Amino acid sequence: MASGPRPAAPDDSVRTTSPGRRGDKVVSAPTGDPAAAAAGSLKRTASPVRSVVASPRPVKGRAGREAARRRLQLPPVSQAEGPGEGPREEDEEPLLSEPEEDDAEARPLPPVCGSPMRGMWRDEKVALYCDEVLRGCKAEDADDAMTKYLSEKLKLKDKWLGVWKTNPELFFMKYEEASIPFVGILVEVTCKPCPSSSSCFNVTVSIAEPFSSNIANIPRNLVNEILEELEHNVPLLEVYPVEGQDSDLHDIALALEVVRFFYDFLWRDWDDEESCENYAALIEERINLWCDIQDGTIPGPIAQRFKKTLEKYKNKRVELVEYQSNIKEDPSAAEAVECWKKYYEIVMLCGLLKMWEDLRLRVHGPFFPRILRRRKGKRDFGKTITHIVAKVMTTDMVKDLSSDTLLQQHDDLDLALDSCYSGDTVVIFPGEYQAVNLALLTDDIIIKGIGKREEIMITSEPSHDSFVVSKADNVKLMHLSLIQQGTVDGIVVVESGHMTLENCILKCEGTGVCVLTGAALTITDSEITGAQGAGVELYPGSMAILERNEIHHCNNLRTSDISKSTLGGVNMKNFEQHFITVAGDGNVRILEVKTG
């Protein structure tokens, strides 16, 4: 899909790109029943407006119109063509100044319709795209499905008010990106039927009264000239309906957001190039991936890495298309090599994105174990199960359980953890165990040993980076020993939520217990030993309560630097405020740490 124009979305919405992956794909804007132009007064709170200093772009007649069209198909200025492409008389262009006395300042923009998809649940998004819009179509028919869906919605009203948000590069040659994230103009939109399939999601617009913009000192005649260059046709997905009109406009706003989100996040350029038996299932996986990012199932740093990879893929795709379009004749050897280099870079990024989209690869692939599984929650029938981990289960093992307890026996701790739902309990009897699923704790469960804690030994897998990692709201480990062997991360890492360690032995080989920002930890009657550093590491914004614990033989750093060997049993990282209460009674220490 060729990169289309990128409307500058508001801060609280998804940044979007217009479709047009094969260059000439169309959606017709059909004519609905005649309706009066929505130019009446709207009861609203105005958007912020301010004056800026910028150099307006010169208008160049027919040639300028063609250049403007091409510019609309480029990404924002930070990703667009370099300064050496095309002559620009920057030094001769005056800066945008305050309006003349006879040219009044633009009024503030009215608010646009809120994000209708923001309040949708995961299942509602899946039903909307898979059942209502795509309706079981194949990837190569996705454009037609989106066209049909949007066309039906546009029939509701043929004229309405909207805010056209476009790339500042269309208007200005020199400007500060931070000061002008987008140029917004209040326009009247007219949806006309398209006689052919040569335009791409375009509508006809004209300046609405009163003249309004997010840039107070933008000249009205400059806006008129730009619209004339474009023959008053702008990409439909750059237009956001204004709040305060009739209910039909809310349906149109939702349809526009559905199409923007599809082409911005759900569509991939390779979709129609590869056979996919169930395209709706692929779209569902991508929706789940998006929701996992939004609700924090995928940790923030990893989510940012994915977003950067997706953005890089799109940019590299645009670079390749632009590079190929600039080759006028048969490519030279150097140009051919450069094309292949850009192509293989795209293929590599494509492979990484596919790993993200496949849940199995997300769990077991190169991003393991930081890509955590989705929370299961409670079982559909509402019951909880007690999982017995032992080679053979006897009546003595369950004699203390109530008669209505649901039991499930496992001879493998990993299988028991994999079978858990929120509210379950895992009971472990003496023995030595390993479980990679301890690095994927997302549901609220209790893991407890029966017998002496020294005889219930759980060891880490040396080939894995992590041992115990939790982001469950409330998970509890009791009466067992955790023995770290070769893992890189802390013996226990609390990424979010709350973890309780009660009467446990933690034999560290690397870092001790780490409590990340926003997470909470309670440790009571436990022993932490052998950490290469502090026994407990607390990050800013975390909370920990430690009572009656023994933290000893830590800080065994092989260094002569005294400052590095005096971290203490608990290390608080860069806290501006903290409250500590310490009391001692022989070898038993009570330590409470609350961090702000």
Side-chain angles (χ1 to χ4, degrees), residues 338-394:
E338 186 64 22
C339 281
W340 278 109
K341 285 172 60 179
K342 292 181 180 296
Y343 171 75
Y344 279 114
E345 194 170 5
I346 290 172
V347 170
M348 292 176 63
L349 292 170
C350 172
L352 288 174
L353 291 171
K354 287 180 179 179
M355 289 181 183
W356 282 90
E357 292 170 6
D358 191 314
L359 181 60
R360 292 167 300 175
L361 291 176
R362 293 219 303 276
V363 173
H364 300 292
F367 302 104
F368 178 89
R370 279 291 177 240
I371 305 301
L372 301 182
R373 66 175 59 162
R374 191 176 304 126
R375 295 180 178 90
K376 293 181 182 179
K378 294 185 177 294
R379 287 183 177 79
D380 293 338
F381 58 87
K383 297 290 186 178
T384 61
I385 291 178
T386 297
H387 302 267
I388 306 297
V389 182
K391 296 296 181 182
V392 178
M393 185 170 67
T394 65

Short mmCIF file of all heavy atoms in Angstrom, two decimals, residues 338-394:
data_model
loop_
_atom_site.label_atom_id
_atom_site.label_comp_id
_atom_site.label_asym_id
_atom_site.label_seq_id
_atom_site.Cartn_x
_atom_site.Cartn_y
_atom_site.Cartn_z
N GLU A 338 20.98 -0.43 -4.50
CA GLU A 338 20.32 0.34 -3.46
C GLU A 338 18.86 -0.08 -3.29
O GLU A 338 18.36 -0.17 -2.16
CB GLU A 338 20.39 1.84 -3.81
CG GLU A 338 19.87 2.76 -2.72
CD GLU A 338 20.70 2.70 -1.44
OE1 GLU A 338 21.88 2.29 -1.50
OE2 GLU A 338 20.15 3.06 -0.37
N CYS A 339 18.21 -0.39 -4.41
CA CYS A 339 16.82 -0.87 -4.32
C CYS A 339 16.75 -2.20 -3.57
O CYS A 339 15.86 -2.40 -2.72
CB CYS A 339 16.24 -1.04 -5.73
SG CYS A 339 15.69 0.50 -6.50
N TRP A 340 17.67 -3.11 -3.87
CA TRP A 340 17.68 -4.40 -3.18
C TRP A 340 17.97 -4.23 -1.70
O TRP A 340 17.37 -4.91 -0.85
CB TRP A 340 18.70 -5.33 -3.82
CG TRP A 340 18.19 -6.02 -5.05
CD1 TRP A 340 18.56 -5.80 -6.34
CD2 TRP A 340 17.19 -7.05 -5.09
NE1 TRP A 340 17.85 -6.61 -7.19
CE2 TRP A 340 17.01 -7.40 -6.44
CE3 TRP A 340 16.44 -7.70 -4.13
CZ2 TRP A 340 16.11 -8.37 -6.85
CZ3 TRP A 340 15.53 -8.67 -4.52
CH2 TRP A 340 15.38 -9.00 -5.87
N LYS A 341 18.86 -3.31 -1.35
CA LYS A 341 19.17 -3.07 0.06
C LYS A 341 17.93 -2.59 0.81
O LYS A 341 17.61 -3.07 1.89
CB LYS A 341 20.30 -2.03 0.19
CG LYS A 341 21.68 -2.57 -0.15
CD LYS A 341 22.71 -1.46 -0.20
CE LYS A 341 22.83 -0.74 1.11
NZ LYS A 341 23.88 0.32 1.06
N LYS A 342 17.22 -1.63 0.20
CA LYS A 342 16.02 -1.11 0.84
C LYS A 342 14.94 -2.20 0.93
O LYS A 342 14.22 -2.30 1.93
CB LYS A 342 15.50 0.09 0.06
CG LYS A 342 16.41 1.32 0.11
CD LYS A 342 15.82 2.48 -0.66
CE LYS A 342 16.72 3.71 -0.61
NZ LYS A 342 16.88 4.23 0.76
N TYR A 343 14.86 -3.03 -0.10
CA TYR A 343 13.85 -4.08 -0.11
C TYR A 343 14.11 -5.10 1.00
O TYR A 343 13.20 -5.48 1.73
CB TYR A 343 13.85 -4.78 -1.48
CG TYR A 343 12.99 -6.03 -1.51
CD1 TYR A 343 11.60 -5.93 -1.53
CD2 TYR A 343 13.57 -7.29 -1.50
CE1 TYR A 343 10.81 -7.07 -1.54
CE2 TYR A 343 12.79 -8.43 -1.51
CZ TYR A 343 11.41 -8.32 -1.53
OH TYR A 343 10.63 -9.45 -1.54
N TYR A 344 15.35 -5.54 1.15
CA TYR A 344 15.65 -6.55 2.17
C TYR A 344 15.52 -5.98 3.58
O TYR A 344 15.18 -6.71 4.52
CB TYR A 344 17.05 -7.13 1.94
CG TYR A 344 17.08 -8.20 0.89
CD1 TYR A 344 17.76 -8.02 -0.31
CD2 TYR A 344 16.38 -9.39 1.07
CE1 TYR A 344 17.75 -9.00 -1.30
CE2 TYR A 344 16.37 -10.38 0.11
CZ TYR A 344 17.06 -10.18 -1.08
OH TYR A 344 17.04 -11.15 -2.04
N GLU A 345 15.75 -4.68 3.73
CA GLU A 345 15.52 -4.06 5.03
C GLU A 345 14.04 -4.11 5.38
O GLU A 345 13.66 -4.38 6.53
CB GLU A 345 16.02 -2.62 5.02
CG GLU A 345 16.13 -2.00 6.39
CD GLU A 345 16.85 -0.67 6.38
OE1 GLU A 345 17.20 -0.18 5.28
OE2 GLU A 345 17.07 -0.12 7.47
N ILE A 346 13.19 -3.89 4.37
CA ILE A 346 11.75 -3.98 4.58
C ILE A 346 11.33 -5.40 4.92
O ILE A 346 10.50 -5.63 5.80
CB ILE A 346 11.01 -3.48 3.31
CG1 ILE A 346 11.19 -1.97 3.15
CG2 ILE A 346 9.52 -3.82 3.38
CD1 ILE A 346 10.67 -1.42 1.84
N VAL A 347 11.93 -6.38 4.23
CA VAL A 347 11.60 -7.79 4.49
C VAL A 347 11.95 -8.17 5.93
O VAL A 347 11.18 -8.87 6.61
CB VAL A 347 12.34 -8.71 3.50
CG1 VAL A 347 12.22 -10.17 3.91
CG2 VAL A 347 11.80 -8.51 2.10
N MET A 348 13.09 -7.69 6.44
CA MET A 348 13.48 -7.99 7.81
C MET A 348 12.50 -7.39 8.80
O MET A 348 12.08 -8.03 9.78
CB MET A 348 14.89 -7.48 8.08
CG MET A 348 15.98 -8.22 7.32
SD MET A 348 17.61 -7.52 7.58
CE MET A 348 17.81 -7.77 9.34
N LEU A 349 12.10 -6.14 8.58
CA LEU A 349 11.14 -5.50 9.47
C LEU A 349 9.78 -6.20 9.40
O LEU A 349 9.09 -6.35 10.41
CB LEU A 349 10.99 -4.02 9.10
CG LEU A 349 12.21 -3.14 9.37
CD1 LEU A 349 12.02 -1.76 8.73
CD2 LEU A 349 12.45 -3.00 10.87
N CYS A 350 9.42 -6.64 8.20
CA CYS A 350 8.17 -7.38 8.02
C CYS A 350 8.19 -8.65 8.87
O CYS A 350 7.20 -8.99 9.53
CB CYS A 350 7.99 -7.72 6.54
SG CYS A 350 6.62 -8.82 6.18
N GLY A 351 9.32 -9.37 8.87
CA GLY A 351 9.43 -10.58 9.67
C GLY A 351 9.28 -10.32 11.15
O GLY A 351 8.62 -11.08 11.87
N LEU A 352 9.85 -9.21 11.64
CA LEU A 352 9.71 -8.87 13.06
C LEU A 352 8.26 -8.57 13.42
O LEU A 352 7.75 -9.01 14.46
CB LEU A 352 10.59 -7.65 13.38
CG LEU A 352 12.09 -7.88 13.43
CD1 LEU A 352 12.82 -6.56 13.62
CD2 LEU A 352 12.45 -8.85 14.55
N LEU A 353 7.57 -7.84 12.54
CA LEU A 353 6.17 -7.51 12.81
C LEU A 353 5.31 -8.77 12.84
O LEU A 353 4.37 -8.87 13.63
CB LEU A 353 5.66 -6.53 11.76
CG LEU A 353 6.25 -5.12 11.83
CD1 LEU A 353 5.84 -4.30 10.62
CD2 LEU A 353 5.82 -4.41 13.11
N LYS A 354 5.61 -9.73 11.97
CA LYS A 354 4.84 -10.98 11.96
C LYS A 354 5.02 -11.74 13.28
O LYS A 354 4.09 -12.41 13.75
CB LYS A 354 5.26 -11.85 10.78
CG LYS A 354 4.77 -11.32 9.44
CD LYS A 354 5.22 -12.22 8.31
CE LYS A 354 4.70 -11.70 6.97
NZ LYS A 354 5.14 -12.54 5.83
N MET A 355 6.22 -11.66 13.85
CA MET A 355 6.44 -12.31 15.14
C MET A 355 5.56 -11.69 16.21
O MET A 355 5.01 -12.38 17.09
CB MET A 355 7.91 -12.20 15.54
CG MET A 355 8.84 -13.05 14.71
SD MET A 355 10.54 -12.87 15.25
CE MET A 355 11.37 -13.90 14.04
N TRP A 356 5.42 -10.37 16.16
CA TRP A 356 4.56 -9.71 17.14
C TRP A 356 3.12 -10.14 16.97
O TRP A 356 2.39 -10.30 17.95
CB TRP A 356 4.66 -8.20 16.95
CG TRP A 356 5.88 -7.59 17.51
CD1 TRP A 356 7.07 -7.40 16.87
CD2 TRP A 356 6.07 -7.07 18.82
NE1 TRP A 356 7.97 -6.80 17.70
CE2 TRP A 356 7.38 -6.58 18.90
CE3 TRP A 356 5.24 -6.97 19.94
CZ2 TRP A 356 7.89 -6.00 20.05
CZ3 TRP A 356 5.75 -6.38 21.08
CH2 TRP A 356 7.06 -5.91 21.13
N GLU A 357 2.69 -10.30 15.72
CA GLU A 357 1.27 -10.56 15.46
C GLU A 357 0.87 -11.99 15.77
O GLU A 357 -0.30 -12.29 15.96
CB GLU A 357 0.95 -10.22 14.00
CG GLU A 357 1.04 -8.72 13.73
CD GLU A 357 0.97 -8.40 12.25
OE1 GLU A 357 0.74 -9.34 11.46
OE2 GLU A 357 1.15 -7.23 11.90
N ASP A 358 1.83 -12.91 15.77
CA ASP A 358 1.55 -14.30 16.09
C ASP A 358 1.76 -14.51 17.58
O ASP A 358 2.87 -14.39 18.08
CB ASP A 358 2.48 -15.21 15.28
CG ASP A 358 2.06 -16.68 15.38
OD1 ASP A 358 1.78 -17.14 16.52
OD2 ASP A 358 2.02 -17.35 14.35
N LEU A 359 0.67 -14.83 18.29
CA LEU A 359 0.76 -14.95 19.75
C LEU A 359 1.77 -16.01 20.16
O LEU A 359 2.50 -15.85 21.13
CB LEU A 359 -0.62 -15.29 20.33
CG LEU A 359 -0.71 -15.41 21.85
CD1 LEU A 359 -0.30 -14.09 22.49
CD2 LEU A 359 -2.12 -15.79 22.27
N ARG A 360 1.86 -17.11 19.39
CA ARG A 360 2.81 -18.17 19.74
C ARG A 360 4.24 -17.65 19.64
O ARG A 360 5.09 -17.96 20.47
CB ARG A 360 2.62 -19.38 18.82
CG ARG A 360 1.30 -20.10 19.03
CD ARG A 360 1.04 -21.05 17.91
NE ARG A 360 0.96 -20.36 16.63
CZ ARG A 360 0.83 -20.97 15.46
NH1 ARG A 360 0.76 -22.28 15.40
NH2 ARG A 360 0.75 -20.27 14.34
N LEU A 361 4.52 -16.85 18.61
CA LEU A 361 5.87 -16.31 18.47
C LEU A 361 6.14 -15.23 19.51
O LEU A 361 7.27 -15.04 19.95
CB LEU A 361 6.06 -15.74 17.06
CG LEU A 361 6.10 -16.79 15.94
CD1 LEU A 361 6.20 -16.10 14.58
CD2 LEU A 361 7.26 -17.74 16.12
N ARG A 362 5.08 -14.50 19.91
CA ARG A 362 5.28 -13.49 20.95
C ARG A 362 5.69 -14.16 22.26
O ARG A 362 6.48 -13.63 23.02
CB ARG A 362 3.99 -12.70 21.18
CG ARG A 362 3.58 -11.84 20.00
CD ARG A 362 3.05 -10.51 20.45
NE ARG A 362 1.93 -10.56 21.33
CZ ARG A 362 0.68 -10.69 20.98
NH1 ARG A 362 0.37 -10.85 19.71
NH2 ARG A 362 -0.29 -10.68 21.87
N VAL A 363 5.14 -15.34 22.53
CA VAL A 363 5.43 -16.02 23.78
C VAL A 363 6.78 -16.74 23.73
O VAL A 363 7.56 -16.70 24.67
CB VAL A 363 4.30 -17.02 24.12
CG1 VAL A 363 4.68 -17.86 25.33
CG2 VAL A 363 3.01 -16.26 24.39
N HIS A 364 7.05 -17.43 22.62
CA HIS A 364 8.23 -18.28 22.56
C HIS A 364 9.33 -17.73 21.66
O HIS A 364 10.38 -18.35 21.52
CB HIS A 364 7.84 -19.68 22.05
CG HIS A 364 6.82 -20.34 22.92
ND1 HIS A 364 7.12 -20.77 24.20
CD2 HIS A 364 5.52 -20.65 22.72
CE1 HIS A 364 6.03 -21.31 24.74
NE2 HIS A 364 5.05 -21.24 23.86
N GLY A 365 9.10 -16.59 21.01
CA GLY A 365 10.07 -16.06 20.07
C GLY A 365 11.11 -15.19 20.74
O GLY A 365 11.33 -15.24 21.94
N PRO A 366 11.76 -14.31 19.96
CA PRO A 366 12.89 -13.52 20.47
C PRO A 366 12.50 -12.47 21.49
O PRO A 366 13.36 -11.91 22.13
CB PRO A 366 13.44 -12.87 19.19
CG PRO A 366 12.29 -12.84 18.25
CD PRO A 366 11.50 -14.07 18.54
N PHE A 367 11.20 -12.18 21.66
CA PHE A 367 10.78 -11.18 22.63
C PHE A 367 10.45 -11.81 23.98
O PHE A 367 10.09 -11.13 24.91
CB PHE A 367 9.57 -10.40 22.11
CG PHE A 367 9.83 -9.73 20.80
CD1 PHE A 367 9.32 -10.25 19.63
CD2 PHE A 367 10.62 -8.61 20.74
CE1 PHE A 367 9.57 -9.64 18.43
CE2 PHE A 367 10.88 -8.00 19.53
CZ PHE A 367 10.35 -8.52 18.37
N PHE A 368 10.52 -13.13 24.07
CA PHE A 368 10.25 -13.83 25.33
C PHE A 368 11.32 -13.46 26.33
O PHE A 368 12.49 -13.34 25.98
CB PHE A 368 10.26 -15.34 25.07
CG PHE A 368 10.04 -16.17 26.29
CD1 PHE A 368 8.77 -16.52 26.68
CD2 PHE A 368 11.11 -16.57 27.06
CE1 PHE A 368 8.58 -17.28 27.81
CE2 PHE A 368 10.93 -17.32 28.20
CZ PHE A 368 9.65 -17.68 28.56
N PRO A 369 11.04 -13.24 27.61
CA PRO A 369 9.73 -13.45 28.22
C PRO A 369 9.02 -12.14 28.53
O PRO A 369 8.08 -12.14 29.30
CB PRO A 369 10.09 -14.16 29.50
CG PRO A 369 11.37 -13.48 29.90
CD PRO A 369 12.08 -13.13 28.63
N ARG A 370 9.50 -11.01 28.00
CA ARG A 370 8.89 -9.74 28.35
C ARG A 370 7.51 -9.56 27.72
O ARG A 370 6.72 -8.76 28.19
CB ARG A 370 9.82 -8.59 27.92
CG ARG A 370 10.93 -8.37 28.92
CD ARG A 370 10.35 -7.80 30.20
NE ARG A 370 11.37 -7.64 31.22
CZ ARG A 370 11.33 -8.24 32.38
NH1 ARG A 370 10.34 -9.05 32.67
NH2 ARG A 370 12.27 -8.05 33.27
N ILE A 371 7.19 -10.29 26.65
CA ILE A 371 5.84 -10.24 26.11
C ILE A 371 5.00 -11.21 26.92
O ILE A 371 5.03 -12.41 26.72
CB ILE A 371 5.82 -10.63 24.62
CG1 ILE A 371 6.80 -9.74 23.85
CG2 ILE A 371 4.42 -10.52 24.06
CD1 ILE A 371 6.47 -8.28 23.95
N LEU A 372 4.24 -10.68 27.84
CA LEU A 372 3.53 -11.54 28.78
C LEU A 372 2.19 -11.97 28.20
O LEU A 372 1.59 -11.29 27.40
CB LEU A 372 3.31 -10.79 30.09
CG LEU A 372 4.59 -10.31 30.79
CD1 LEU A 372 4.25 -9.63 32.09
CD2 LEU A 372 5.55 -11.46 31.02
N ARG A 373 1.76 -13.15 28.63
CA ARG A 373 0.48 -13.68 28.15
C ARG A 373 -0.67 -12.82 28.63
O ARG A 373 -0.56 -12.07 29.60
CB ARG A 373 0.30 -15.11 28.66
CG ARG A 373 0.16 -15.18 30.17
CD ARG A 373 -0.13 -16.58 30.66
NE ARG A 373 0.93 -17.50 30.27
CZ ARG A 373 1.12 -18.69 30.83
NH1 ARG A 373 0.33 -19.09 31.80
NH2 ARG A 373 2.10 -19.47 30.44
N ARG A 374 -1.76 -12.94 27.95
CA ARG A 374 -2.95 -12.19 28.32
C ARG A 374 -3.56 -12.77 29.59
O ARG A 374 -3.54 -13.97 29.82
CB ARG A 374 -3.95 -12.26 27.17
CG ARG A 374 -5.12 -11.29 27.32
CD ARG A 374 -6.02 -11.36 26.09
NE ARG A 374 -5.25 -11.10 24.89
CZ ARG A 374 -5.22 -11.91 23.85
NH1 ARG A 374 -5.93 -13.02 23.85
NH2 ARG A 374 -4.51 -11.62 22.79
N ARG A 375 -4.14 -11.92 30.42
CA ARG A 375 -4.81 -12.40 31.63
C ARG A 375 -6.01 -13.26 31.25
O ARG A 375 -6.81 -12.89 30.40
CB ARG A 375 -5.28 -11.21 32.47
CG ARG A 375 -4.16 -10.35 33.03
CD ARG A 375 -4.74 -9.19 33.83
NE ARG A 375 -3.70 -8.38 34.42
CZ ARG A 375 -3.15 -7.33 33.82
NH1 ARG A 375 -3.56 -6.99 32.61
NH2 ARG A 375 -2.21 -6.63 34.40
N LYS A 376 -6.13 -14.38 31.92
CA LYS A 376 -7.30 -15.24 31.69
C LYS A 376 -8.52 -14.76 32.46
O LYS A 376 -9.65 -14.88 32.00
CB LYS A 376 -6.98 -16.68 32.11
CG LYS A 376 -5.93 -17.39 31.26
CD LYS A 376 -5.76 -18.81 31.79
CE LYS A 376 -4.70 -19.57 31.03
NZ LYS A 376 -4.53 -20.95 31.58
N GLY A 377 -8.29 -14.27 33.67
CA GLY A 377 -9.41 -13.93 34.53
C GLY A 377 -10.02 -15.17 35.16
O GLY A 377 -9.39 -16.23 35.24
N LYS A 378 -11.26 -15.08 35.59
CA LYS A 378 -11.93 -16.21 36.24
C LYS A 378 -12.55 -17.14 35.20
O LYS A 378 -12.81 -16.74 34.07
CB LYS A 378 -13.00 -15.71 37.22
CG LYS A 378 -12.41 -14.94 38.41
CD LYS A 378 -13.50 -14.59 39.39
CE LYS A 378 -12.93 -13.89 40.62
NZ LYS A 378 -12.07 -14.80 41.41
N ARG A 379 -12.79 -18.36 35.61
CA ARG A 379 -13.46 -19.32 34.73
C ARG A 379 -14.90 -18.88 34.46
O ARG A 379 -15.52 -18.19 35.27
CB ARG A 379 -13.47 -20.72 35.35
CG ARG A 379 -12.12 -21.39 35.35
CD ARG A 379 -12.22 -22.80 35.92
NE ARG A 379 -10.92 -23.45 35.84
CZ ARG A 379 -9.93 -23.22 36.69
NH1 ARG A 379 -10.13 -22.38 37.70
NH2 ARG A 379 -8.76 -23.83 36.56
N ASP A 380 -15.40 -19.36 33.32
CA ASP A 380 -16.77 -18.99 32.94
C ASP A 380 -17.79 -19.45 33.97
O ASP A 380 -18.77 -18.75 34.23
CB ASP A 380 -17.11 -19.59 31.57
CG ASP A 380 -16.29 -18.97 30.46
OD1 ASP A 380 -15.79 -17.83 30.67
OD2 ASP A 380 -16.15 -19.60 29.41
N PHE A 381 -17.58 -20.64 34.56
CA PHE A 381 -18.57 -21.13 35.52
C PHE A 381 -18.30 -20.64 36.94
O PHE A 381 -18.99 -21.01 37.88
CB PHE A 381 -18.64 -22.66 35.49
CG PHE A 381 -17.35 -23.37 35.78
CD1 PHE A 381 -16.97 -23.67 37.08
CD2 PHE A 381 -16.51 -23.74 34.74
CE1 PHE A 381 -15.79 -24.33 37.34
CE2 PHE A 381 -15.32 -24.41 35.00
CZ PHE A 381 -14.96 -24.71 36.30
N GLY A 382 -17.27 -19.78 37.11
CA GLY A 382 -17.06 -19.10 38.38
C GLY A 382 -16.37 -19.90 39.47
O GLY A 382 -16.15 -19.36 40.56
N LYS A 383 -16.04 -21.16 39.26
CA LYS A 383 -15.41 -21.98 40.30
C LYS A 383 -13.89 -21.83 40.25
O LYS A 383 -13.31 -21.49 39.23
CB LYS A 383 -15.77 -23.45 40.10
CG LYS A 383 -17.26 -23.75 40.24
CD LYS A 383 -17.74 -23.61 41.68
CE LYS A 383 -19.18 -24.05 41.82
NZ LYS A 383 -19.66 -23.95 43.21
N THR A 384 -13.26 -22.11 41.39
CA THR A 384 -11.80 -22.14 41.47
C THR A 384 -11.35 -23.58 41.70
O THR A 384 -12.09 -24.41 42.23
CB THR A 384 -11.28 -21.25 42.60
OG1 THR A 384 -11.80 -21.72 43.86
CG2 THR A 384 -11.70 -19.80 42.38
N ILE A 385 -10.11 -23.85 41.31
CA ILE A 385 -9.56 -25.21 41.39
C ILE A 385 -8.27 -25.17 42.20
O ILE A 385 -7.48 -24.23 42.09
CB ILE A 385 -9.31 -25.78 39.99
CG1 ILE A 385 -10.64 -26.04 39.28
CG2 ILE A 385 -8.49 -27.07 40.05
CD1 ILE A 385 -10.50 -26.57 37.86
N THR A 386 -8.07 -26.20 42.99
CA THR A 386 -6.81 -26.39 43.70
C THR A 386 -5.99 -27.41 42.92
O THR A 386 -6.43 -28.54 42.72
CB THR A 386 -7.04 -26.88 45.13
OG1 THR A 386 -7.76 -25.88 45.86
CG2 THR A 386 -5.71 -27.14 45.83
N HIS A 387 -4.81 -26.98 42.47
CA HIS A 387 -3.95 -27.83 41.66
C HIS A 387 -2.90 -28.49 42.56
O HIS A 387 -2.13 -27.79 43.24
CB HIS A 387 -3.25 -27.02 40.57
CG HIS A 387 -4.21 -26.30 39.66
ND1 HIS A 387 -4.65 -26.82 38.47
CD2 HIS A 387 -4.81 -25.08 39.79
CE1 HIS A 387 -5.49 -25.98 37.89
NE2 HIS A 387 -5.60 -24.90 38.67
N ILE A 388 -2.87 -29.81 42.59
CA ILE A 388 -1.91 -30.56 43.39
C ILE A 388 -0.72 -30.93 42.51
O ILE A 388 -0.90 -31.58 41.47
CB ILE A 388 -2.54 -31.84 43.98
CG1 ILE A 388 -3.82 -31.50 44.76
CG2 ILE A 388 -1.54 -32.58 44.85
CD1 ILE A 388 -3.60 -30.63 45.96
N VAL A 389 0.47 -30.51 42.90
CA VAL A 389 1.68 -30.83 42.13
C VAL A 389 2.45 -31.90 42.89
O VAL A 389 3.07 -31.63 43.93
CB VAL A 389 2.56 -29.58 41.90
CG1 VAL A 389 3.77 -29.94 41.06
CG2 VAL A 389 1.75 -28.48 41.21
N ALA A 390 2.38 -33.13 42.39
CA ALA A 390 3.08 -34.26 43.01
C ALA A 390 3.05 -35.41 42.01
O ALA A 390 2.17 -35.49 41.16
CB ALA A 390 2.42 -34.67 44.33
N LYS A 391 4.04 -36.29 42.11
CA LYS A 391 4.08 -37.45 41.20
C LYS A 391 2.86 -38.33 41.41
O LYS A 391 2.25 -38.83 40.46
CB LYS A 391 5.37 -38.25 41.44
CG LYS A 391 6.65 -37.50 41.11
CD LYS A 391 6.74 -37.15 39.63
CE LYS A 391 8.04 -36.44 39.31
NZ LYS A 391 8.11 -36.04 37.87
N VAL A 392 2.50 -38.55 42.67
CA VAL A 392 1.33 -39.36 43.01
C VAL A 392 0.54 -38.64 44.09
O VAL A 392 1.11 -38.13 45.05
CB VAL A 392 1.74 -40.76 43.51
CG1 VAL A 392 0.50 -41.57 43.89
CG2 VAL A 392 2.55 -41.51 42.46
N MET A 393 -0.76 -38.57 43.93
CA MET A 393 -1.60 -37.89 44.92
C MET A 393 -2.23 -38.93 45.85
O MET A 393 -2.78 -39.94 45.39
CB MET A 393 -2.68 -37.07 44.24
CG MET A 393 -3.51 -36.23 45.20
SD MET A 393 -4.61 -35.05 44.39
CE MET A 393 -5.76 -36.16 43.59
N THR A 394 -2.12 -38.69 47.15
CA THR A 394 -2.70 -39.59 48.15
C THR A 394 -3.78 -38.87 48.94
O THR A 394 -3.88 -37.63 48.91
CB THR A 394 -1.61 -40.09 49.11
OG1 THR A 394 -1.10 -38.97 49.86
CG2 THR A 394 -0.47 -40.76 48.35
#
